[in-house]
Amino acid sequence: MQKYFLYARKSTDVEDKQILSIESQLAELRELAKRESIYIADEFVEKRSAKIPGRPIFNTMLSRIQNGEAQGIVCWKIDRLSRNPVDSGKIQWMLQQNIIQHI
């Protein structure tokens, strides 16, 4: 059985532009996981901009994926994962190495 991590993020620097609150993201993603029979091993919630590298919760999630604790990520939109080239490169590399098998 493939395991997934659920990742919800809301930037703190542009509150008025955010479409979904973290609570709304979590509700939608949990419903998606239930509907699609996706096993969520853990949930990660971060309230921080992704424009610069160094998000501690995001980095912990990636480390745990590298350790084999999950093979995929469930997120509201791909830009919830990264909006900078360093983090995007990490995700891209992990996808190419099949460490992350599905987003």
Side-chain angles (χ1 to χ4, degrees):
M1 169 194 308
Q2 280 197 325
K3 298 177 187 173
Y4 287 76
F5 286 150
L6 186 152
Y7 184 80
R9 182 184 66 80
K10 184 168 179 165
S11 180
T12 56
D13 62 350
V14 286
E15 287 292 321
D16 59 322
K17 293 184 181 179
Q18 297 294 314
I19 295 172
L20 279 186
S21 68
I22 286 177
E23 295 76 20
S24 297
Q25 288 180 49
L26 290 171
E28 292 285 333
L29 295 172
R30 289 172 182 151
E31 179 59 34
L32 171 72
K34 182 179 177 181
R35 186 173 59 247
E36 299 294 327
S37 299
I38 296 170
Y39 176 73
I40 302 296
D42 206 350
E43 295 182 359
F44 296 86
V45 174
E46 196 149 47
K47 295 179 181 178
R48 184 174 228 154
S49 173
K51 290 181 183 175
I52 58 170
R55 290 171 288 143
I57 294 171
F58 173 79
N59 289 334
T60 296
M61 179 183 70
L62 291 187
S63 292
R64 289 182 60 189
I65 291 171
Q66 284 197 296
N67 289 335
E69 294 182 46
Q71 295 75 43
I73 302 170
V74 177
C75 60
W76 174 248
K77 285 178 58 180
I78 198 74
D79 73 355
R80 299 298 86 204
L81 294 178
S82 179
R83 295 181 60 114
N84 71 75
V86 173
D87 291 340
S88 296
K90 288 179 188 177
I91 292 168
Q92 201 169 41
W93 178 252
M94 291 173 77
L95 283 164
Q96 287 176 358
Q97 298 301 306
N98 208 31
I99 297 166
I100 298 174
Q101 296 173 9
H102 191 252
I103 297 177

